[in-house]
Amino acid sequence: MTYCVGMKLNRGLVFMSDTRTNAGVDNISVFKKMFQWEVPGERSITLMTAGNLATTQAVVSLLNERALPAEERGTLSIVEAPSMFQVAKLVGETLREVISQQSGLEGPQADSPFGATLILGGQVKGGEPRLFLIYPEGNFVEACDDTPFFQIGETKYGKPILVRAYDPEMRFEEAVKLLLLSFDSTIKANLSVGMPFDLHLYATESFRHGPVRRIEADDAFFAEISSGWGEKLREAFDTLPDYSLD
């Protein structure tokens, strides 16, 4: 399985993904699920993937091929599209194309074994930072004030902390801490999600990639907040009143 989160803040975008891919408990591998494209000073684009690995790899490979110079492929690419909406449309069309080819059907179904779901975010000069959730059918929705973050993959375990603690005014450092807690809750509840985690921070109006890091299983900060969060939860639980049986 997979767990990826894309979050929209007032100061930019935050992306985090796990790297575990499994086909049963005896076939577990590490695969990158976060990909970036950049035209410094003009755009920064990040894509995270969940679903069938062959499908997501084919989508990324096609997007890379189509990002080559125009004379080498002759079609509009995500590094040339005039807005993030048009980028999302191209990515959705590519996903639909790959699923249709792999399934051998006229069009993909949402429960197709070749299905995949994507989170796309970034900024193109002339527009605001935007964040999209792209479905297997190729259609998509955009993050807004009411829905400021998207999750894909194994979403249910890490969502409560995001809902309770998210604040659009958060600093990047606070947002990373929040996402790490969300991922910690997920990996403790589901063995199909695992470290290392990939992280990317995009600052509004920078039009280039921000810090891109891999958080390994032996990361000291992650270990500290994981154990500290568990202790704080137990302390908070102990301060709450007991249920009365009288």
Side-chain angles (χ1 to χ4, degrees):
M1 198 58 175
T2 294
Y3 185 43
C4 303
V5 181
M7 180 180 292
K8 188 174 183 179
L9 304 175
N10 289 346
R11 67 188 62 237
L13 302 171
V14 184
F15 306 89
M16 187 176 288
S17 66
D18 85 319
T19 54
R20 177 167 292 181
T21 299
N22 70 299
V25 295
D26 58 347
N27 188 10
I28 296 175
S29 303
V30 173
F31 281 93
K32 184 178 180 182
K33 302 172 188 175
M34 182 186 296
F35 307 90
Q36 287 106 7
W37 293 264
E38 178 187 51
V39 180
E42 199 272 331
R43 72 184 61 206
S44 172
I45 298 168
T46 297
L47 181 72
M48 295 187 293
T49 65
N52 182 276
L53 183 61
T55 299
T56 58
Q57 287 187 338
V59 169
V60 172
S61 294
L62 274 175
L63 291 172
N64 281 330
E65 286 187 3
R66 292 169 182 177
L68 293 171
E71 61 271 14
E72 297 184 34
R73 39 90 191 145
T75 57
L76 189 68
S77 77
I78 61 173
V79 296
E80 298 167 325
S83 68
M84 280 302 301
F85 178 85
Q86 293 298 326
V87 172
K89 184 178 178 183
L90 285 170
V91 173
E93 290 171 352
T94 304
L95 176 60
R96 181 178 177 86
E97 174 188 346
V98 169
I99 294 177
S100 180
Q101 290 174 349
Q102 292 184 342
S103 64
L105 302 174
E106 282 297 316
Q109 303 297 317
D111 59 353
S112 166
F114 301 103
T117 308
L118 312 175
I119 292 175
L120 172 74
Q123 186 176 20
V124 174
K125 196 166 187 178
E128 298 295 320
R130 301 176 75 174
L131 186 68
F132 300 91
L133 176 64
I134 303 177
Y135 298 105
E137 297 83 357
N139 57 333
F140 51 85
V141 294
E142 183 174 0
C144 59
D145 291 342
D146 292 327
T147 306
F149 61 84
F150 289 131
Q151 302 166 280
I152 54 175
E154 196 59 64
T155 62
K156 54 186 175 291
Y157 303 108
K159 187 172 183 176
I161 180 63
L162 297 179
V163 172
R164 288 178 178 270
Y166 169 83
D167 184 337
E169 293 290 342
M170 290 178 114
R171 295 178 290 111
F172 281 138
E173 294 84 351
E174 294 173 307
V176 173
K177 178 171 63 175
L178 176 59
L179 287 183
L180 285 175
L181 289 174
S182 178
F183 275 69
D184 179 60
S185 298
T186 303
I187 63 175
K188 279 182 167 55
N190 193 305
L191 292 175
S192 69
V193 177
M195 300 182 80
F197 305 143
D198 287 329
L199 169 70
H200 177 219
L201 307 174
Y202 173 74
T204 300
E205 301 297 325
S206 63
F207 302 109
R208 63 183 309 130
H209 299 336
V212 178
R213 297 178 181 174
R214 174 158 286 193
I215 300 170
E216 301 287 354
D218 59 355
D219 184 85
F221 179 75
F222 178 72
E224 179 181 357
I225 68 165
S226 176
S227 61
W229 181 243
E231 293 171 3
K232 294 298 183 183
L233 282 177
R234 286 188 292 272
E235 291 175 7
F237 176 79
D238 290 340
T239 64
L240 295 173
D242 294 336
Y243 178 75
S244 175
L245 295 175
D246 295 332

